[in-house]
Amino acid sequence: MSSPLHRIVIKVGTILLTHGGKELNRERMADLVRQIAVIREQGLQVVLVSSGAVAAGANAGVPYPSGKGIPVRQILAAIGQPLLMRTYAELFAPYGVAVAQALFTRTELERDGYLNARNTLLGLLEAGVLPICNENDVVAVAELQQIGDNDTLSALVANLVDADLLAILTDIKGLYTSDPRNNASATHVPVVESITREVENMAGGAGSSASIGGMATKIKAARMATAAGTNVVIGQGTVPDVILAIAAGEQVGTRFASKISRTKSLRDAWMASDLARGHRIIVDAGAASALLKNGRSLLPAGIIAVEGTFSRGDTVEIRAANGDAFACGLVNYPSDDLRKIMGKNSSKIATLLPESFGDEAVHRNNMVFL
Ligand code: GLU
């Protein structure tokens, strides 16, 4: 964990953001906001994953239906999400930090949705804006759409933006050998080398009625994130300056070190999923050199052939004219469209296709060299 941090995803749960699951705790939020502003000043890119919409909605002072089922949670989330965002916007404003809202269901985090979300979040970061993510509770109901809890969402978002570190902040110090609230002999675990069955058993069930996830979903999120090359810290959000300490690499909470690099995990995913599918883009020498030597994006102008049938957001292999595969990446256009614009200047895309997804066939942000 010693390499310098560049991009961090911070997840804050309902329990931290509210007074015991009721109305937003503005003082607590202000303190978290201050810390995030400080680490941004230090040069870190930050994405926030924030719960609290349902709790904010329940305490908004508007009449709402009684009951606890999914429809009620959805109504409360619809009422509470703008209140949550307004509070963040107000608290970040004195630091000159603009915030953006990004709401996800499961489908947005797959294939072309993945690419759209990734490009948007990376674009926001490049523009210096702070993305604040939550599940789109208003529409997510069925198993297929629902992510279910924001611990899992935070791991998906960390993957989406290639975060170096995911910090999951909660109301306890991290992982204990058993639940410290009902077991006095429970001891704190500062470092987890690998997430074994024993570690999962330590985590037990859900935390409180106000929040969905407990330690179990946090461990699951840590497993997902570390498997994709992101280090994870589960820390106590009520400890003074905890975000500053985490960003400085100090030992706080429970740390989970990923054993693989992000690049390797992307390459492995590519090898596993798409090598066999024959999704290929063959590029001319000028494009190959622009990609390899100058870190440019792949433009349609440099493409001389497209092989296979693929959709926007699929992984494609990028080959030189002599057949050497030298990169892979997430493609911005489906194969049929790419055949129409290959060899052409990007300024022609708008006239050749009904819809333009930008100048690049494969953006450099979404490319890995082999
Ligand atoms: N999306 C929910 C909210 O904003 C929270 C989900 C969770 O706590 O994991 O209230």
Side-chain angles (χ1 to χ4, degrees):
M1 277 220 182
S2 49
S3 59
L5 278 182
H6 171 56
R7 195 171 287 158
I8 176 170
V9 172
I10 299 173
K11 186 263 172 175
V12 284
T14 299
I15 211 75
L16 269 188
L17 298 173
T18 58
H19 297 280
K22 301 205 169 65
E23 77 186 288
L24 295 174
N25 181 340
R26 207 177 157 97
E27 294 69 43
R28 171 76 48 68
M29 288 177 73
D31 188 53
L32 296 167
V33 162
R34 174 188 58 81
Q35 295 178 60
I36 291 170
V38 171
I39 61 169
R40 278 174 48 101
E41 279 294 312
Q42 293 169 352
L44 257 117
Q45 290 188 335
V46 183
V47 177
L48 186 59
V49 175
S50 177
S51 305
V54 172
N59 294 278
V62 289
Y64 60 88
S66 58
K68 277 193 181 303
I70 287 172
V72 175
R73 276 188 68 84
Q74 292 183 302
I75 290 167
L76 298 183
I79 299 169
Q81 181 64 24
L83 300 177
L84 185 66
M85 285 306 298
R86 189 176 73 198
T87 308
Y88 276 123
E90 284 169 4
L91 293 172
F92 273 111
Y95 300 99
V97 177
V99 299
Q101 168 178 278
L103 302 178
F104 297 103
T105 58
R106 193 166 277 284
T107 40
E108 268 91 62
L109 297 166
E110 287 160 7
R111 293 194 73 178
D112 58 335
Y114 176 94
L115 188 65
N116 294 332
R118 176 179 164 88
N119 289 346
T120 306
L121 292 185
L122 293 182
L124 288 166
L125 290 176
E126 242 163 67
V129 176
L130 177 85
I132 302 180
C133 309
N134 198 354
E135 177 145 25
N136 192 348
D137 295 301
V138 174
V139 299
V141 276
E143 242 171 69
L144 280 176
Q145 298 160 348
Q146 212 176 9
I147 298 160
D149 64 85
N150 276 2
D151 295 323
T152 306
L153 175 65
S154 70
L156 294 169
V157 168
N159 180 30
L160 201 63
V161 300
D162 300 334
D164 311 299
L165 182 70
L166 166 62
I168 300 179
L169 300 183
T170 182
D171 60 341
I172 59 168
K173 205 173 144 193
L175 181 67
Y176 284 76
T177 48
S178 59
D179 191 338
R181 286 162 304 189
N182 42 38
N183 189 345
S185 66
T187 54
H188 177 248
V189 181
V191 177
V192 172
E193 291 297 343
S194 65
I195 302 172
T196 57
R197 180 65 57 84
E198 192 194 352
V199 170
E200 282 172 351
N201 288 343
M202 290 176 189
S208 79
S209 55
S211 57
I212 292 181
M215 198 46 72
T217 56
K218 289 175 181 52
I219 298 296
K220 190 178 131 215
R223 176 200 291 288
M224 288 168 66
T226 53
T230 301
N231 296 316
V232 177
V233 175
I234 300 177
Q236 188 165 11
T238 51
V239 168
D241 288 343
V242 69
I243 294 177
L244 306 187
I246 290 172
E250 290 167 24
Q251 175 57 58
V252 282
T254 302
R255 284 193 174 256
F256 305 73
S258 174
K259 296 187 183 67
I260 56 166
S261 74
R262 286 276 329 157
T263 317
K264 181 171 180 321
S265 93
L266 281 176
R267 266 192 220 132
D268 287 353
W270 166 73
M271 296 279 194
S273 67
D274 283 287
L275 187 58
R277 284 200 223 156
H279 300 165
R280 292 191 193 116
I281 294 178
I282 322 295
V283 303
D284 64 21
S289 137
L291 265 57
L292 285 164
K293 301 210 181 90
N294 306 328
R296 296 285 166 75
S297 295
L298 175 64
L299 303 179
I303 300 178
I304 51 180
V306 174
E307 294 177 8
T309 304
F310 47 82
S311 308
R312 169 172 154 78
D314 276 346
T315 313
V316 295
E317 189 180 70
I318 302 171
R319 293 191 170 209
N322 68 2
D324 286 347
F326 65 91
C328 66
L330 303 175
V331 67
N332 275 339
Y333 290 90
S335 47
D336 286 351
D337 287 355
L338 218 45
R339 287 190 179 94
K340 289 178 197 146
I341 58 175
M342 68 183 198
K344 306 271 182 358
N345 191 292
S346 295
S347 60
K348 300 267 164 24
I349 295 176
T351 51
L352 293 167
L353 299 179
E355 194 163 16
S356 168
F357 289 107
D359 286 353
E360 304 85 8
V362 182
H363 196 280
R364 67 184 156 76
N365 281 340
N366 304 324
M367 209 184 287
V368 177
F369 292 95
L370 306 174

